[in-house]
Amino acid sequence: MGTAPSVTIERIAGALGAEISGLDVTAELDDDQIALLRSAVVEHKVVFLRGQSYATEHLVRLTHQLGGHGDTPFLESMPEHPGVVRVVKERDEGGLNFGGAWHSDWSFQREPPAFTLLWSIDVPPHGGDTLWSNQELAFETLSEGLRSTLEGLDVVHSAGWAYAADGVLARTAAGRSMQINTSDDALAEQIHPAAPTHPESGRRTLFVNPTYSVRFDGWTAAESAPLLSYLYTHSTREAFTCRFRWTPDTLAIWDNRSTQHNALNDYRGYRRELHRTTVAGSAPQ
C-alpha cells in the first residue's frame, strides 16, 4: 500500500504488523513524516524499518520527535543517554531473556508508554524472534456479554512479580549481563480500566497481561484468576499475532496501548543486543 511516492507500507500479517520502506529515520524527520510514521504505528500496531544504520543519537532524536522519553524504572540506562536501555544477552549466557513473556510495557505505571522503540545491533542468525498480539482485535472478538462486563471493570497492575527484591528477575540474576535494578518499589499497585478506549484510534482495547496484571479491582486474586486466565489465553491467540525475524539495523516501533509482545528465548550460543526507548504516554481511560 503506497502512502507517498517514496514511502511504502506493506502488511506482514492479517492481524497486525507492517514493514515501512522509503523512510530514513537516521535523518531528522519533518512534521509530515512524523505524522505518517505515527499514523502507521497506530493503524498497524507495530511497524518495522530495515536497513537503518544504528546510532544512539538517531534513536534519541526519533524518540523525542514521537513525543519524548517515558519513565524507565528498574532498568539501567546508558550513562550518556538517559532513557536508552541496552537489551543484551551474551552468547554464553543461559537463563531467562529480557521481555520473554507476554506483556505490555510498564502497564503498572500511572501513565504507561504510548510507544516502544527497539533498534537491533547484534542479532543471532536464527532465533530471537519477537511476537506481537493485537489487543483491539482481542477485545472485539469477545462476546457482547463479556465486553460489557469488562467495560465496567478495572484491573490492578504491579511490577512486583518481575522486579521486586525477591521477584523472578532477582532470583535469576546470576550470570546476567543486562543490569536490572530490582526493588520492592515494584510492589506498588496501579489501577487501570480493563477495556480502555485508545486515545488515537478511538477503539476499545483489552488491557490485561500475565506479567503485570494482578487482579480485578474489588475482587480477590482467587476470584480474578479464572477470568484473567481466560483473557490471557484469548488475547494471545495465534490469529491475533504477528512474528518478526530480526536483522541487524532494524527498527521496530509498537503501540503499547493496543498490543502485547513476547521476545522468544531460543538462541542459546548466540549474542543478541538491541537498544530500547519508550515514548511518554497518558493514563488509560
Side-chain angles (χ1 to χ4, degrees):
M1 177 180 66
T3 60
S6 59
V7 177
T8 59
I9 303 175
E10 296 185 357
R11 297 183 64 168
I12 66 169
L16 77 167
E19 288 203 33
I20 299 178
S21 58
L23 191 64
D24 180 8
V25 296
T26 69
E28 185 170 359
L29 302 183
D30 63 29
D31 290 345
D32 289 342
Q33 290 171 318
I34 286 292
L36 182 152
L37 181 57
R38 188 179 189 96
S39 176
V41 176
V42 171
E43 178 181 355
H44 297 287
K45 313 295 186 288
V46 55
V47 301
F48 309 97
L49 299 95
R50 296 190 190 268
Q52 306 283 329
S53 298
Y54 179 75
T56 309
E57 292 77 8
H58 303 334
L59 178 58
V60 169
R61 180 179 58 220
L62 184 58
T63 302
H64 281 296
Q65 287 194 284
L66 286 170
H69 283 276
D71 179 37
T72 301
F74 309 118
L75 303 180
E76 195 75 21
S77 295
M78 298 173 65
E80 65 276 27
H81 295 289
V84 178
V85 173
R86 296 174 64 243
V87 178
V88 60
K89 187 178 181 188
E90 300 295 347
R91 73 172 63 246
D92 59 351
E93 187 178 337
L96 300 176
N97 64 322
F98 180 74
W102 284 108
H103 65 287
S104 175
D105 283 336
W106 303 155
S107 69
F108 55 84
Q109 293 183 318
R110 186 177 70 86
E111 297 181 339
F115 301 148
T116 297
L117 288 76
L118 194 61
W119 210 321
S120 61
I121 311 298
D122 188 11
V123 295
H126 49 76
D129 295 356
T130 305
L131 307 172
W132 283 265
S133 185
N134 182 339
Q135 299 306 285
E136 290 179 349
L137 186 57
F139 180 77
E140 291 165 1
T141 52
L142 293 170
S143 68
E144 181 180 354
L146 186 47
R147 292 198 306 270
S148 296
T149 298
L150 291 173
E151 288 172 8
L153 293 177
D154 293 326
V155 176
V156 178
H157 296 251
S158 172
W161 175 82
Y163 292 101
D166 63 350
V168 65
L169 292 173
R171 297 195 305 271
T172 59
R176 181 187 298 128
S177 57
M178 184 175 170
Q179 180 63 45
I180 298 175
N181 301 318
T182 54
S183 163
D184 279 343
D185 290 345
L187 297 172
E189 295 183 340
Q190 181 63 53
I191 297 172
H192 294 306
T197 299
H198 192 288
E200 294 183 69
S201 74
R203 297 165 65 185
R204 289 271 189 178
T205 185
L206 184 60
F207 199 64
V208 302
N209 69 84
T211 298
Y212 301 128
S213 298
V214 176
R215 65 187 182 278
F216 291 105
D217 187 37
W219 298 25
T220 67
E223 290 168 339
S224 303
L227 180 51
L228 285 176
S229 179
Y230 173 79
L231 293 173
Y232 298 155
T233 300
H234 172 79
S235 65
T236 56
R237 287 170 53 189
E238 288 183 356
F240 303 155
T241 67
C242 72
R243 177 170 177 159
F244 187 73
R245 182 174 182 179
W246 292 93
T247 51
D249 288 327
T250 296
L251 171 65
I253 308 173
W254 64 90
D255 192 332
N256 278 293
R257 302 163 296 183
S258 59
T259 63
Q260 292 186 57
H261 60 283
N262 182 3
L264 299 183
N265 189 21
D266 59 348
Y267 51 97
R268 188 179 181 88
Y270 294 101
R271 187 177 190 276
R272 185 177 186 268
E273 179 175 356
L274 306 94
H275 288 188
R276 172 190 183 274
T277 61
T278 62
V279 173
S282 57
Q285 301 290 331

